[in-house]
């Protein structure tokens, strides 16, 4: 007599978390991201802007890059936001905050810079972490970085006329 195998259906496991539990867990994760990732980047960028101001390097960069940044309707010092964006989006926001605090950027300038911050954001961090892991040959990394910078420039030109 052949044995019949019984298929036992398992009931779906019920998660006993309430909406409030999920909300609190999400708040804790958001708090940790803010405290451990975003705030240190913003604070460091703000400190760097203060150091550049004290040493006179910010004014020098402003004079050097003024003709290029004028194409986008920005002061020369705004190049620091773009350089910060390549390393960290949070850092770029901190740089912009520092420049607004110094009176070098206003709301219109920030509106022009925001798309560039997102389009160029954290590319230096991501080059090795993502492209290296994905197996993209390093000879293409510069081209991919250039595409991001080109897209950011186009976005700033568009924003110049809408901001």
């Amino acid at each position: 007599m052949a044995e019949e195998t019984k298929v036992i259906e398992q009931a779906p496991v019920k998660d006993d978390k309430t909406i409030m539990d999920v909300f609190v867990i999400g708040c804790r994760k958001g708090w940790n991201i803010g405290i451990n990732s975003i705030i240190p980047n913003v604070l460091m960028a703000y400190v760097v802007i203060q150091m550049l101001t004290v040493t006179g390097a910010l004014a020098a960069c402003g004079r050097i890059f003024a003709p290029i940044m004028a194409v986008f309707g920005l002061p020369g010092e705004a190049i620091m936001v773009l350089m910060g964006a390549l390393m960290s989006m949070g850092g770029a926001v901190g740089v912009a905050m520092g420049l607004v605090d110094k009176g070098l950027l206003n709301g219109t300038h920030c509106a022009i810079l925001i798309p560039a911050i997102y389009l160029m954001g954290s590319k230096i961090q991501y080059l090795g972490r993502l492209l290296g892991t994905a197996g993209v040959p390093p000879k293409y990394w510069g081209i991919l970085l250039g595409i991001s910078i080109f897209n950011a420039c186009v976005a700033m030109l568009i924003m110049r006329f809408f901001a």
Side-chain angles (χ1 to χ4, degrees):
M1 182 167 183
E3 283 187 33
E4 291 183 27
T5 57
K6 292 183 179 178
V7 178
I8 300 173
E9 290 185 32
Q10 292 183 346
V13 178
K14 184 172 189 287
D15 195 2
D16 291 337
K17 292 181 184 172
T18 65
I19 291 175
M20 186 57 91
D21 293 333
V22 173
F23 176 77
V24 170
I25 290 167
C27 287
R28 284 186 184 137
K29 287 180 180 179
W31 176 262
N32 288 333
I33 289 170
I35 293 298
N36 297 321
S37 297
I38 297 171
I39 290 177
N41 287 337
V42 171
L43 185 60
M44 184 59 194
Y46 190 76
V47 169
V48 167
I49 286 299
Q50 296 301 329
M51 290 174 14
L52 291 172
T53 301
V54 169
T55 62
L58 183 63
C61 284
R63 284 189 302 273
I64 292 167
F65 290 101
I68 297 168
M69 298 309 288
V71 171
F72 306 110
L74 298 168
E77 292 84 0
I79 193 72
M80 302 310 271
V81 176
L82 300 178
M83 288 180 185
L86 284 172
M87 297 184 210
S88 162
M89 283 194 281
V93 170
V95 171
M97 179 183 73
L99 294 176
V100 167
D101 187 47
K102 299 266 178 243
L104 298 170
L105 293 181
N106 60 31
T108 301
H109 297 142
C110 290
I112 293 169
L113 287 166
I114 287 171
I117 291 171
Y118 284 104
L119 289 168
M120 291 173 42
S122 306
K123 291 296 187 247
I124 301 298
Q125 291 179 27
Y126 297 147
L127 281 178
R129 189 181 314 156
L130 299 177
L131 297 179
T133 305
V136 176
K139 67 180 181 179
Y140 298 118
W141 293 10
I143 294 167
L144 294 171
L145 179 62
I147 290 170
S148 295
I149 293 170
F150 175 78
N151 288 341
C153 289
V154 170
M156 287 190 299
L157 284 172
I158 291 170
M159 286 303 293
R160 178 181 182 181
F161 296 106
F162 288 110

